[in-house]
Amino acid sequence: MEAKELYDNILKLMKEHHNWFNNSIPLIASENIPSPAVREAVVSDFGNRYAEGWPGERVYAGCTYIDQVENICNELAKKVFRSEFADCRATSGVVANLAIYSAFSNPGDYMIASSIPSGGHISHGKKEHSGTAGLVHGLTIEHFPFSKEEMTIDTDMTKKKIETMANEGKSPKIAMFGGSLFLFPHPVKELSDFLHSYNIYVNYDGAHVAGLIAGNQFQDPLREGADSMTMSSHKTLWGPQGGIIVSLEKYGESIKKAIFPGNTSSHHLHHVAGKAIALSEIIEFGEEYAKQVIKNAKMLAYSLANYGFNVLGEKRGYTESHQLAVNISKYGDGGNIEKDLEKCNIILNRQLLPGDIKEGRNYLHPSGIRIGVPEVTRLGMKENEMHEIATFIKKIVIDKQDGSKILHDVIEFRKRFQKVQYAFDNETSAYEYIQLVNRDK
Ligand SMILES: Cc1ncc(COP(=O)(O)O)c(C=O)c1O
């Protein structure tokens, strides 16, 4: 294809993507829909500039307005997360974690974190799995013991494991709480003092649950003893893609150096502006949103369980977060079910569940699916809609009904939810394609 044909094709494909999402039920737990104002920040000229360093101490000219926005962003992050220090320059959640590894450990040190089937993220992972902690920073990873019954880290077993590691001269430098499959709070309060008594730095990866923490509806890691919290800015926190770190003041200088020059050069200033806008929206609407997210996740879990699905965490009411996990192995595997649902415009992802690796499964064909409600909640859906979504899923997965009829019904259902809610401005439709060039002339 000629360059111009490719150019036209790219623009056409982006438009088609918008149209598809406008007709879909987006249930990926790590995604959200930003407000039109956040999208405006992302296409602004901030995205074409450099501002290496800290506001007021840049090594580039042209930062007069950028500095003001970045200062506002850091102040908003401190307010939202009730922290002494904030740095909004990490370009992603992975970069935020990498900055913590760089600041508080050396290659060859140990870190304790959750395994991937127990909810850990690949950025906490071992070198042999190409995990960031192992591969990029040379950490040796040990896993938190996990209780399948409680669907969270086992406190007593963790204490025993740390004691054993210390006796063997392998005491971890960092304990990494938080994760990607994250139904219930982690025992930060129960373990922080114990971990500190072994000089272990405690980080909480709130990539998934930052918006719930901001809305005061999940645990509160910095009050529970975590030294810092890393996060993505675009999951339950509804900003543009990026990362944020908040911490105690005494760790601020080390984190600043680890972000720049340690792990970033350009820190994507359009995204800093978008993060600032998203944080201002959180102050106004965050609590109401977070409450509805959790109500929706619980309702979806109960509706699916009533239809006979094996929803994890039954003993504890399935979930206290924005997501739920379903062991789908009775009907196929997570990979195939994900595809069947996608054909009907229901978009979610396959998920490794605790025990999967031991049973010989892998990430392509795991036993589970993970379902998240941050985006559908931002579109204004409430408990009744969660029941409708559960019914669509049942018809596809259990009843194996005709997909074309369900696809039609899903598209009709979505027509009722066109705007981003919990925002100062929502005139522009949620998935409207922002076209800057008139190509129809
Ligand atoms: C727990 C956790 N940490 C870090 C990340 C990485 O975030 P990002 O994609 O912003 O780099 C994710 C992404 O899903 C995550 O789930």
Side-chain angles (χ1 to χ4, degrees):
M1 263 199 250
E2 296 293 316
K4 180 62 167 65
E5 270 178 84
L6 292 167
Y7 168 94
D8 288 337
N9 195 32
I10 296 161
L11 291 160
K12 179 174 101 20
L13 291 170
M14 287 197 294
K15 256 190 172 167
E16 282 175 6
H17 171 88
H18 275 249
N19 186 40
W20 184 28
F21 269 68
N22 198 33
N23 286 301
S24 298
I25 302 178
L27 295 169
I28 304 249
S30 53
E31 294 178 354
N32 210 328
I33 181 79
S35 68
V38 168
R39 292 173 65 206
E40 194 174 319
V42 170
V43 296
S44 73
D45 182 65
F46 272 40
N48 309 318
R49 304 297 143 208
Y50 265 92
E52 286 179 348
W54 195 248
E57 303 164 12
R58 307 291 197 193
V59 290
Y60 281 83
C63 300
T64 304
Y65 301 102
I66 288 165
D67 276 10
Q68 292 178 57
V69 170
E70 193 165 313
N71 277 330
I72 294 173
C73 193
N74 289 334
E75 288 309 310
L76 283 168
K78 286 200 271 184
K79 189 172 160 98
V80 163
F81 295 104
R82 304 166 290 282
S83 70
E84 295 171 3
F85 171 80
D87 188 331
C88 293
R89 295 174 300 170
T91 49
S92 73
V94 169
V95 169
N97 286 340
L98 200 43
I100 294 296
Y101 307 151
S102 319
F104 304 110
S105 68
N106 290 309
D109 286 341
Y110 282 83
M111 176 169 91
I112 186 158
S114 292
S115 72
I116 292 177
S118 301
H121 184 252
I122 192 65
S123 61
H124 314 162
K126 297 183 180 196
K127 182 170 181 176
E128 54 264 45
H129 301 142
S130 304
T132 313
L135 186 71
V136 184
H137 195 59
L139 292 175
T140 303
I141 309 303
E142 286 288 332
H143 291 144
F144 280 120
F146 187 80
S147 161
K148 273 203 222 176
E149 272 262 291
E150 304 292 328
M151 283 303 288
T152 193
I153 292 166
D154 186 312
T155 305
D156 293 337
M157 300 272 284
T158 297
K159 286 185 177 169
K160 284 196 193 114
K161 179 154 187 171
I162 297 287
E163 278 160 5
T164 309
M165 286 177 75
N167 288 339
E168 291 170 354
K170 297 175 178 171
S171 191
K173 270 282 169 57
I174 298 178
M176 175 65 90
F177 288 103
S180 310
L181 175 65
F182 203 0
L183 305 178
F184 301 103
H186 278 173
V188 181
K189 195 167 52 216
E190 293 78 358
L191 284 169
S192 283
D193 285 349
F194 176 84
L195 294 165
H196 285 141
S197 74
Y198 283 85
N199 288 324
I200 301 170
Y201 183 90
V202 178
N203 185 69
Y204 181 98
D205 183 343
H208 263 263
V209 291
L212 306 180
I213 291 169
N216 270 315
Q217 303 305 310
F218 202 62
Q219 62 191 131
D220 190 0
L222 294 180
R223 250 60 46 200
E224 293 171 22
D227 298 308
S228 55
M229 172 163 120
T230 46
M231 69 195 93
S232 300
S233 49
H234 50 271
K235 303 187 195 308
T236 51
L237 198 66
W238 48 38
Q241 292 201 334
I244 299 177
I245 306 177
V246 292
S247 75
L248 302 178
E249 183 66 40
K250 62 180 170 180
Y251 298 119
E253 280 308 312
S254 306
I255 291 171
K256 275 162 79 170
K257 285 189 210 134
I259 288 288
F260 176 79
N263 285 283
T264 58
S265 169
S266 160
H267 58 278
H268 303 183
L269 303 161
H270 49 329
H271 287 201
V272 172
K275 289 172 200 174
I277 291 170
L279 289 166
S280 72
E281 293 167 341
I282 288 279
I283 288 177
E284 187 77 12
F285 308 103
E287 185 168 340
E288 193 192 346
Y289 169 73
K291 282 184 178 156
Q292 190 62 48
V293 164
I294 294 168
K295 280 193 218 161
N296 283 354
K298 278 187 183 292
M299 183 62 178
L300 188 50
Y302 274 97
S303 297
L304 289 168
N306 282 339
Y307 279 135
F309 283 102
N310 178 3
V311 185
L312 270 55
E314 181 180 6
K315 184 176 166 217
R316 299 183 67 186
Y318 303 114
T319 181
E320 283 173 20
S321 76
H322 60 298
Q323 52 168 269
L324 48 133
V326 183
N327 184 323
I328 208 89
S329 53
K330 217 163 117 188
Y331 311 104
D333 71 51
N336 300 332
I337 301 281
E338 176 196 287
K339 290 217 157 43
D340 291 345
L341 291 163
E342 190 191 49
K343 284 186 201 135
C344 298
N345 284 10
I346 295 178
I347 298 177
L348 48 69
N349 68 289
R350 68 194 75 183
Q351 179 69 43
L352 273 174
L353 298 181
D356 268 6
I357 301 288
K358 282 195 191 117
E359 286 165 22
R361 296 181 184 274
N362 60 41
Y363 71 96
L364 290 174
H365 300 287
S367 66
I369 52 172
R370 185 183 66 171
I371 312 182
V373 299
E375 191 159 347
V376 289
T377 307
R378 191 105 204 260
L379 290 170
M381 295 189 198
K382 297 217 159 67
E383 288 91 321
N384 285 343
E385 285 75 38
M386 296 305 112
H387 187 67
E388 285 186 68
I389 292 174
T391 309
F392 285 134
I393 295 175
K394 171 194 175 266
K395 286 179 179 173
I396 298 163
V397 178
I398 300 183
D399 303 340
K400 311 274 184 217
Q401 282 189 16
D402 171 27
S404 56
K405 162 89 175 72
I406 299 167
L407 175 63
H408 171 268
D409 293 347
V410 164
I411 293 171
E412 281 304 304
F413 167 85
R414 256 309 307 281
K415 287 190 177 143
R416 289 158 29 209
F417 303 95
Q418 290 297 307
K419 304 275 186 178
V420 171
Q421 306 300 326
Y422 311 96
F424 291 111
D425 289 307
N426 71 356
E427 243 170 68
T428 309
S429 292
Y431 300 90
E432 194 169 314
Y433 183 76
I434 300 178
Q435 187 166 324
L436 299 179
V437 180
N438 180 4
R439 281 182 294 275
D440 303 326
K441 53 188 181 229

